[in-house]
Amino acid sequence: MLRLIIAVGIFFLICDAQDAFFDGRTTIELHHFLHESGPTLRGNVSISSDGSSRISQEQLSEEDRLKLVDLARRDAFYTLRATVGSSSGQPVELYTSTKACLLLRNFLLDNLWVSLDHLGSVIGVSQVVAGSQTCGEGEQLTSEFAGEFTTGVFVRNSELAPIPDTASFIQKVEREREARERGEVKDNRGFFAKYWMYIVPVVILLLLSGATNPDAAAGR
């Protein structure tokens, strides 16, 4: 019976992994830096290929809340690390920071903006706290402000710039050049537009000759 339960559990784990693979799902692990011992897990974000997202977060301990209050009172930054798997197998770590006092003033309500490139890979994670971006001096912030994180996740995709059709332009220029060489294209430009490169030097020479012979010009 125990073997059957283990086999069923492994089966569901494999199915879930296959669904994540074929669905193109991306998982982001979130760790925050509250303790001197190192980062601790805050939660996970799952992003599907259609851009929808889901987040699950760990509950804060009383010690975590006190650390947040300490950061806020010292006007320090709250730092979040996002770890994303990559095609090379080497995880990519992205960091974002915001003032801890802003988080507490907003009762731990924040938003995460996840940026994707044109292939759907995560290239940036930014934490945004709504409201004022400055902390008031002497503001009394206590652990009562630190309940649980309420986080919204927003996904934005990079847009490719339009690529100029250089091949068609080159072909058009070549066709026009060949047509001119065969005499199929008539030059409808005016007289000055056709021969300005000959007229302008003559005018400049006349002006220069008049400037260098002022006596002759005065005699006339």
Side-chain angles (χ1 to χ4, degrees):
M1 185 65 181
L2 180 60
R3 291 181 179 178
L4 178 61
I5 294 174
I6 294 174
V8 171
I10 294 174
F11 173 77
F12 280 109
L13 285 174
I14 294 174
C15 289
D16 185 67
Q18 288 179 339
D19 289 342
F21 176 78
F22 289 110
D23 184 41
R25 194 183 309 162
T26 301
T27 301
I28 305 173
E29 283 190 358
L30 302 175
H31 292 80
H32 49 189
F33 293 79
L34 298 176
H35 307 278
E36 290 78 5
S37 57
T40 54
L41 181 66
R42 170 174 160 176
N44 292 278
V45 176
S46 178
I47 301 174
S48 300
S49 57
D50 60 358
S52 60
S53 60
R54 182 176 59 191
I55 184 170
S56 61
Q57 303 195 84
E58 301 288 323
Q59 288 188 341
L60 293 174
S61 65
E62 187 61 30
E63 185 180 3
D64 293 336
R65 295 185 177 91
L66 292 176
K67 288 293 183 180
L68 276 170
V69 173
D70 180 60
L71 288 175
R73 288 176 177 173
R74 292 189 288 110
D75 198 26
F77 281 90
Y78 168 84
T79 301
L80 192 63
R81 183 182 72 192
T83 306
V84 190
S86 65
S87 57
S88 63
Q90 187 71 20
V92 177
E93 294 183 349
L94 304 167
Y95 293 84
T96 179
S97 299
T98 190
K99 284 290 189 71
C101 59
L102 298 179
L103 268 176
L104 284 183
R105 285 179 58 189
N106 215 36
F107 296 94
L108 303 189
L109 176 63
D110 62 348
N111 294 318
L112 290 179
W113 283 89
V114 181
S115 301
L116 308 179
D117 63 10
H118 64 284
L119 297 177
S121 301
V122 179
I123 57 175
V125 176
S126 300
Q127 182 187 32
V128 179
V129 179
S132 174
Q133 297 302 303
T134 57
C135 299
E137 294 185 5
E139 191 171 7
Q140 296 298 321
L141 297 172
T142 65
S143 58
E144 295 179 357
F145 288 81
E148 297 293 342
F149 280 104
T150 303
T151 305
V153 179
F154 300 91
V155 180
R156 51 188 172 192
N157 295 278
S158 301
E159 296 182 359
L160 290 176
I163 301 174
D165 190 2
T166 54
S168 299
F169 177 75
I170 293 173
Q171 291 175 0
K172 179 182 177 182
V173 172
E174 288 294 328
R175 287 196 299 268
E176 292 178 353
R177 182 181 61 81
E178 293 174 358
R180 283 196 300 270
E181 290 177 353
R182 293 193 299 266
E184 297 177 0
V185 178
K186 295 182 179 180
D187 194 347
N188 296 321
R189 294 178 299 171
F191 178 81
F192 185 79
K194 289 181 182 179
Y195 304 107
W196 67 270
M197 69 286 295
Y198 305 110
I199 298 173
V200 171
V202 174
V203 173
I204 293 175
L205 287 174
L206 291 175
L207 292 174
L208 290 176
S209 62
T212 54
N213 297 303
D215 296 337
R220 290 197 299 269

